[in-house]
């Protein structure tokens, strides 16, 4: 895991010695790790959306259809591919990116000075298809180029351009990256403002995502539904249950009149990628 690589590096800083140049060396090595991660993700990723069957896309779109907003911590293209399909149940595609000023451009951009009240799709830790050029946040597209997105990603990597992905290992480091990027900052603030119900699917509620968990427990949602995979009494699931219940306890301690109700459900009952058996 990338987090383990970062933690190992942090725990063995003495190998770098001392002096003013250490910081530069650490930053250079961090860039190498970040680049290697992007290369690994692109290499293991399906080549194009055609590698996913229409039945799988229909199933995941049916799953997504029930949610007003979608927040993902995954870097991969599967969610983006799913919402961009023409077939199957309708799903909102508004991720805040447009390029009305340059309709002939090969990419679209996210405009930080526009209030995207209708944005429905948020990549909380960035994605392989997002790039921070230093002056704008851009998103590569297939519709404007006719080139498969994974091919565009690999081409960008070969040219030394890395996608906007949060690769830092600790929650504190991740939060620092997020708060210093306009798009990521906007996404996490949106998560903190939602009300009603929140469904968490396929996440371990691990310590290195405390910056996300704090937004949930300090936020305005009333009910939290958390998925468990397999035996609910397994050590991994026990940790998830304990962290979710801690969210509820902390909310009650801070705001007794605004409690957080927590419910657990079997992740296999959701059928996000395959249709349920008749």
């Amino acid at each position: 895991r990338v987090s383990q690589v970062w933690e190992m590096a942090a725990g063995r800083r003495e190998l770098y010695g001392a002096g003013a140049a250490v910081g530069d060396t650490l930053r250079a090595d961090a860039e190498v790790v970040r680049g290697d991660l992007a290369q690994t993700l692109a290499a293991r990723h399906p080549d194009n959306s055609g590698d996913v069957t229409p039945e799988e896309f229909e199933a995941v779109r049916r799953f997504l259809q029930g949610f007003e907003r979608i927040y993902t911590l995954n870097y991969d293209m599967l969610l983006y591919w799913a919402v961009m399909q023409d077939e199957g149940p309708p799903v909102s595609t508004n991720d805040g990116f447009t390029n009305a000023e340059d309709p002939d451009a090969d990419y679209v951009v996210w405009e930080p000075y526009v209030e995207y009240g209708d944005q429905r799709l948020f990549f909380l830790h960035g994605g392989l298809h997002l790039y921070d050029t230093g002056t704008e946040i851009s998103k590569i597209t297939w519709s404007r180029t006719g080139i498969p997105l994974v091919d565009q990603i690999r081409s960008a990597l070969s040219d030394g351009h890395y996608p906007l992905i949060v690769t830092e290992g600790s929650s504190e480091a991740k939060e620092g990256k997020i708060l210093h990027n306009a798009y990521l900052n906007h996404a996490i603030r949106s998560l903190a403002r939602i009300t009603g119900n929140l469904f968490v699917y396929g996440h371990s509620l691990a310590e290195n995502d405390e910056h996300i968990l704090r937004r949930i427990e300090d936020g305005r949602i009333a009910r939290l539904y958390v998925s468990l995979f397999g035996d609910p009494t397994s050590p991994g699931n026990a940790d998830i249950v304990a962290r979710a219940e801690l969210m509820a306890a902390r909310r009650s301690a801070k705001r007794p009149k605004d409690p957080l109700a927590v419910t657990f459900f079997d992740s296999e009952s959701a059928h996000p990628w395959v249709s349920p058996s008749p």
Side-chain angles (χ1 to χ4, degrees), residues 123-187:
F123 289 82
L124 293 172
H125 282 168
L128 289 174
H129 59 313
L130 306 180
Y131 290 82
D132 185 350
T133 68
T135 58
E136 62 185 8
I137 310 298
S138 63
K139 182 184 75 173
I140 58 175
T141 69
W142 175 85
S143 62
R144 289 175 176 244
T145 64
I147 301 173
L149 296 184
V150 175
D151 288 348
Q152 294 186 56
I153 293 166
R154 290 170 179 159
S155 176
L157 288 169
S158 67
D159 291 337
H161 303 305
Y162 300 112
L164 173 60
I165 52 178
V166 178
T167 57
E168 284 70 10
S170 69
S171 175
E172 292 80 5
K174 287 181 178 180
E175 186 168 32
K177 173 70 172 287
I178 290 168
L179 296 181
H180 286 83
N181 180 274
Y183 170 80
L184 299 177
N185 193 357
H186 169 77

Side-chain angles (χ1 to χ4, degrees), residues 15 27 33 53 58 84-86 102 110 118 124 134 171 174 176 202 205 230 253 266 269:
L15 297 178
R27 280 187 287 272
V33 173
T53 69
E58 182 178 355
M84 295 303 293
Q85 296 299 306
D86 294 328
D102 189 0
W110 184 78
D118 294 329
L124 293 172
S171 175
K174 287 181 178 180
L205 308 188
D266 180 1
S269 67

Side-chain angles (χ1 to χ4, degrees), residues 57-125:
F57 275 136
E58 182 178 355
V60 75
R61 286 172 66 89
R62 186 178 299 108
F63 172 75
L64 297 172
Q65 190 179 32
F67 302 104
E68 182 179 352
R69 288 182 175 84
I70 301 166
Y71 299 85
T72 180
L73 293 172
N74 290 342
Y75 308 133
D76 62 47
M77 303 297 302
L78 295 177
L79 174 61
Y80 182 57
W81 281 344
V83 300
M84 295 303 293
Q85 296 299 306
D86 294 328
E87 304 297 330
V91 177
S92 175
T93 62
N94 190 339
D95 58 4
F97 285 83
T98 184
N99 210 343
E101 294 185 1
D102 189 0
D104 296 325
D106 290 343
Y107 59 90
V108 289
V109 297
W110 184 78
E111 175 53 72
Y113 304 108
V114 175
E115 183 59 38
Y116 287 111
D118 294 329
Q119 185 174 341
R120 293 291 180 265
L121 182 60
F122 302 83
F123 289 82
L124 293 172
H125 282 168

